[in-house]
């Protein structure tokens, strides 16, 4: 399926058409049959690589984290009235890191101190999708497929849950922390990729929008007796089977939903549910992670991985025009975001290392694209300019920052999980346009690298309604072997 966009069309029309296609794919997924694992030429199974990681934590900077103001500093000019927007590349000065010769941006001093445990990719690239809808680019990043597709594409975490399964049979294999899916704008689009797609409900995420309330999600309601809880579970299963929506779901997806309920029931009856209670951590430990929802999410992610979670995503939360979605006041917002992510990411790496978990836990910092002061999309793009303050010279602080979406080159940081330490891969140009000029890494190849680390071949695929569907698009993703230790 192709999805053509008129770059001159109003945004509400683009979003309406996008949602129509997503809804059709979601409905088709519910009616589809059992996904069947493909074999190479239907003659022999795909050979799975030796895993270098057992768990994966994705730290998602939803909204477009500007690489020149985080992990790829360029020429810096401070705020000054009359400064030409065309002269803005980075709005923060560079600082040294624990790796000789490697610099990142001021405000990330904690992360700088642990960069000797990291591989830094500075040449990740995204395609020009014709119009910048954050949800489309986030869908593409999380699933590896440009939406919409004729089937609902599974999230990376769902692939891991389906192909290699849980590390601990009681713990959910796929957990999503920090993202509300209601009332935040573009909610339907966010729901479209935060799923198991055609794999079925049992491989979908346990969504925990508020980490401090995670413990409540794995305990029966107050006053609920054990026998009443058992009876309620039986009644719920009966109601599902008698649902008027039953005829719209295949037997496979009906059974998958019931299996997901069985797994949830086991978790609520297990000792592992204590992993969801961050109040069990000592106060001094909680303080090191900071007093933000993202910080509490990082602490929760560490506890969940310790207890056997396979894939955990923690997000600063994507909400249009908030957080990393800087269409104005870019520098001021970035300063706040630096303060929000620096302590918890630093402490997460140190804690995993102290517990002997970092070597086998792949931690990834990523975003859907970067930002630039002038260019929307990439050079030659017909994407609509979405900056709120369209000026040539800076006269107010709100003009100072990188307010346009840029897909030509961005940064991804990877810790642990078999990756090299203190290693930099790829390069973007020193002057605008800040395109990836050495070793560009596509989303397909980035996913192939992540999956290879987790012991999943990029060629792994399933037959869904007579169509082959692979973990990387058309099975063409190639792991970047230079990144592995």
């Amino acid at each position: 399926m192709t999805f053509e966009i008129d770059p001159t069309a109003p945004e509400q029309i683009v979003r309406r058409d996008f949602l129509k296609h997503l809804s059709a794919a979601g409905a088709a997924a519910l009616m589809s049959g059992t996904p069947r694992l493909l074999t190479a030429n239907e003659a022999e199974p795909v050979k799975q690589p030796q895993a270098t990681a057992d768990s994966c934590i994705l730290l998602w900077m939803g909204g477009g984290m500007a690489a020149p103001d985080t992990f790829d500093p360029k020429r810096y000019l401070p705020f000054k009235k009359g400064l030409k927007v065309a002269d803005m590349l980075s709005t923060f000065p560079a600082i040294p890191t624990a790796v000789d010769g490697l610099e990142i941006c001021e405000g990330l001093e904690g992360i700088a101190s642990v960069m000797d445990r990291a591989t830094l990719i500075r040449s990740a690239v995204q395609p020009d999708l014709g119009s910048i809808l954050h949800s489309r680019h986030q869908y593409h990043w999380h699933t590896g497929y440009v939406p919409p597709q004729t089937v609902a594409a599974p999230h990376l975490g769902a692939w891991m849950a389906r192909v290699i399964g849980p590390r601990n049979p009681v713990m959910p294999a796929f957990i999503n922390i920090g993202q509300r899916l209601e009332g935040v704008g573009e909610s339907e689009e966010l729901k479209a990729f935060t799923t198991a797609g055609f794999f079925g409900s049992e491989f979908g995420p346990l969504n925990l929008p508020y980490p401090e309330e995670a413990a409540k999600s794995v305990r029966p309601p107050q006053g609920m007796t054990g026998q009443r809880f058992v009876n309620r579970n039986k009644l719920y299963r009966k109601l599902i089977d008698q649902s008027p929506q039953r005829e719209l779901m295949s037997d496979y997806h009906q059974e998958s939903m019931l299996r997901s309920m069985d797994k949830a029931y086991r978790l609520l009856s297990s000792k592992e549910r204590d992993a969801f209670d961050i109040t069990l951590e000592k106060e001094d430990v909680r303080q090191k992670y900071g007093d933000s929802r993202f910080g509490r999410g990082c602490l929760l992610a560490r506890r969940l991985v310790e207890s056997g979670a396979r894939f955990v995503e923690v997000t600063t939360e994507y909400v249009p025009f908030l957080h990393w979605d800087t269409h104005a006041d870019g520098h001021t917002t970035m300063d706040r975001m630096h303060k929000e992510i620096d302590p918890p990411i630093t402490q997460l790496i140190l804690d995993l290392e102290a517990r002997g978990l970092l070597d086998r836990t792949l931690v990834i910092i990523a975003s859907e694209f970067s930002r630039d002061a002038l260019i929307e999309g990439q050079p030659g793009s017909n994407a609509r300019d979405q900056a709120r303050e369209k000026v040539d010279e800076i006269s107010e602080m709100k003009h100072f920052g990188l307010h346009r979406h840029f897909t030509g080159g961005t940064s991804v940081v990877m810790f642990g999980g078999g990756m090299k330490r203190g290693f930099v891969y790829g390069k973007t140009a020193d002057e605008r346009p800040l395109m990836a000029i050495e070793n560009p890494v596509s989303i397909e190849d980035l996913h192939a690298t992540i999956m290879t680390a987790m012991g999943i071949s990029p060629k792994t695929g399933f037959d869904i309604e007579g169509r082959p569907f692979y973990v990387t698009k058309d099975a063409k993703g190639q792991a970047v072997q230079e990144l592995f230790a």
Side-chain angles (χ1 to χ4, degrees):
M1 175 185 290
T2 59
F3 182 52
E4 299 296 334
I5 288 182
D6 176 2
T8 64
E11 184 175 355
Q12 62 268 29
I13 294 178
V14 174
R15 290 188 70 245
R16 183 195 66 195
D17 291 344
F18 180 37
L19 280 171
K20 181 174 68 175
H21 284 84
L22 287 178
S23 298
L30 289 176
M31 299 177 69
S32 63
T34 305
R36 182 176 64 85
L37 186 65
L38 293 171
T39 58
N41 299 319
E42 295 297 323
E44 59 184 46
V46 172
K47 184 178 180 180
Q48 303 294 0
Q50 183 68 38
T52 61
D54 302 316
S55 302
C56 180
I57 300 175
L58 172 60
L59 304 176
W60 183 247
M61 309 291 114
M65 178 183 70
D69 275 347
T70 50
F71 296 104
D72 193 9
K74 302 298 181 183
R75 173 173 43 79
Y76 164 70
L77 292 173
F79 170 79
K80 180 182 178 182
K81 288 186 178 180
L83 175 66
K84 294 184 184 304
V85 171
D87 291 335
M88 274 198 300
L89 293 181
S90 288
T91 70
F92 292 85
I95 59 171
T97 71
V99 180
D100 288 344
L102 173 61
E103 295 181 327
I104 61 175
C105 285
E106 181 181 78
L108 300 176
E109 285 77 10
I111 296 175
S113 72
V114 295
M115 286 301 291
D116 56 342
R117 285 87 156 173
T119 275
L120 170 57
I121 303 170
R122 279 182 165 162
S123 54
V125 295
Q126 297 81 35
D128 176 12
L129 299 183
S131 180
I132 306 293
L133 288 178
H134 283 275
S135 43
R136 284 193 85 209
H137 282 273
Q138 291 191 60
Y139 187 112
H140 185 204
W141 201 102
H142 283 88
T143 69
Y145 287 81
V146 174
Q149 298 289 317
T150 53
V151 295
H155 187 289
L156 278 177
W159 277 98
M160 295 181 196
R162 174 63 180 85
V163 178
I164 52 179
R167 288 174 56 219
N168 179 338
V170 174
M171 288 291 290
F174 174 12
I175 301 171
N176 188 47
I177 302 172
Q179 179 67 59
R180 290 168 292 171
L181 297 175
E182 300 290 348
V184 294
E186 297 191 22
S187 58
E188 295 306 315
E189 296 96 316
L190 289 169
K191 292 175 188 175
F193 65 80
T194 313
T195 73
F198 58 75
F199 281 143
S201 301
E202 63 190 301
F203 303 108
L206 171 60
N207 289 309
L208 303 170
Y210 294 96
E212 60 273 21
E213 298 178 2
K216 295 180 183 178
S217 70
V218 293
R219 290 185 182 138
Q222 189 172 3
M224 179 76 66
T225 64
Q227 186 56 50
R228 186 180 171 200
F229 184 56
V230 171
N231 290 341
R232 178 173 285 194
N233 184 54
K234 290 179 180 177
L235 178 60
Y236 184 79
R237 293 174 63 91
K238 184 177 180 180
L239 288 173
I240 289 177
D241 193 52
Q242 296 176 350
S243 168
Q245 305 298 319
R246 174 68 181 86
E247 63 185 30
L248 302 178
M249 298 176 66
S250 68
D251 288 341
Y252 170 78
H253 282 275
Q254 169 88 352
E255 293 161 5
S256 182
M257 180 180 289
L258 291 173
R259 285 193 294 268
S260 71
M261 296 304 300
D262 287 341
K263 290 178 180 180
Y265 180 76
R266 287 199 301 273
L267 175 60
L268 266 64
S269 308
S270 73
K271 61 180 177 58
E272 280 85 356
R273 70 184 189 182
D274 285 346
F276 292 79
D277 190 352
I278 59 176
T279 66
L280 298 177
E281 288 283 342
K282 295 179 180 179
E283 177 62 26
D284 64 324
V285 174
R286 296 205 301 270
Q287 288 180 355
K288 289 177 181 178
Y289 280 85
D291 190 28
S292 68
R293 191 144 54 106
F294 177 73
R296 291 188 288 273
C298 287
L299 173 57
L300 178 58
R302 192 215 77 207
R303 291 176 59 84
L304 296 175
V305 165
E306 283 183 286
S307 294
R310 177 72 72 186
F311 177 91
V312 183
E313 178 169 340
V314 187
T315 177
T316 52
E317 189 176 47
Y318 171 66
V319 179
F321 309 116
L322 288 177
H323 311 315
W324 301 106
D325 193 15
T326 51
H327 293 266
D329 292 303
H331 176 84
T332 303
T333 302
M334 290 295 289
D335 184 55
R336 174 173 59 82
M337 295 308 297
H338 286 170
K339 292 180 173 67
E340 181 173 327
I341 71 166
D342 190 54
I345 292 178
T346 305
Q347 196 59 42
L348 174 63
I349 300 307
L350 293 174
D351 276 2
L352 289 172
E353 185 175 59
R355 287 162 170 75
L357 294 171
L358 186 59
D359 284 348
R360 300 292 298 185
T361 304
L362 179 62
V363 182
I364 306 161
I365 306 172
S367 189
E368 64 263 39
F369 42 65
S370 182
R371 287 187 176 268
D372 185 77
L374 281 185
I375 298 173
E376 189 78 34
Q378 51 189 271
S381 174
N382 57 10
R384 184 174 60 254
D385 183 1
Q386 297 183 48
R388 287 184 165 183
E389 301 292 336
K390 297 177 174 62
V391 298
D392 295 324
E393 290 187 357
I394 292 174
S395 59
E396 301 178 63
M397 193 65 188
K398 66 180 180 180
H399 301 150
F400 190 49
L402 310 181
H403 299 140
R404 291 171 169 89
H405 312 103
F406 186 68
T407 59
T410 192
S411 295
V412 175
V413 187
M414 306 174 87
F415 295 91
M419 298 297 124
K420 288 178 179 174
R421 290 172 169 246
F423 181 64
V424 180
Y425 185 81
K427 181 180 179 181
T428 52
D430 291 329
E431 296 290 335
R432 185 176 286 112
L434 304 178
M435 302 290 290
I437 57 174
E438 289 183 9
N439 299 319
V441 179
S442 66
I443 286 178
E444 289 79 13
D445 290 349
L446 181 62
H447 282 189
T449 304
I450 294 168
M451 290 301 186
T452 296
M454 296 298 294
I456 301 174
S457 167
K459 298 184 182 300
T460 301
F462 286 79
D463 179 288
I464 178 68
E465 296 295 295
R467 172 189 174 181
F469 205 96
Y470 299 93
V471 70
T472 61
K473 189 175 185 297
D474 299 328
K476 291 180 178 179
Q478 299 287 325
V480 184
Q481 295 297 334
E482 294 92 331
L483 304 181
F484 289 86

